[in-house]
Amino acid sequence: MKILLVILGILLAISVVGFVIKTLFWLGVIAALVFVGVAVAGALKGPETPRSLR
């Protein structure tokens, strides 16, 4: 019985780790797509007026 509980615990841990890694991967993909979208929008809009740092 204890062996079965240990195996179930290991499978549960593997499932949770797999879900977290997969979720973080897709979060990174979405963030990269948003970053590229903002960069493209900024490049297309271009500077309307020159700006100085002061």
Side-chain angles (χ1 to χ4, degrees):
M1 184 69 176
K2 285 186 178 183
I3 294 175
L4 181 61
L5 290 175
V6 170
I7 291 173
L8 287 175
I10 291 171
L11 287 175
L12 180 65
I14 291 172
S15 298
V16 169
V17 169
F19 177 75
V20 168
I21 290 174
K22 189 174 184 180
T23 301
L24 291 177
F25 170 75
W26 284 113
L27 183 64
V29 168
I30 291 170
L33 290 174
V34 169
F35 177 80
V36 169
V38 170
V40 168
L44 290 178
K45 184 176 179 183
E48 294 175 2
T49 59
R51 295 185 182 140
S52 64
L53 295 176
R54 294 181 181 227

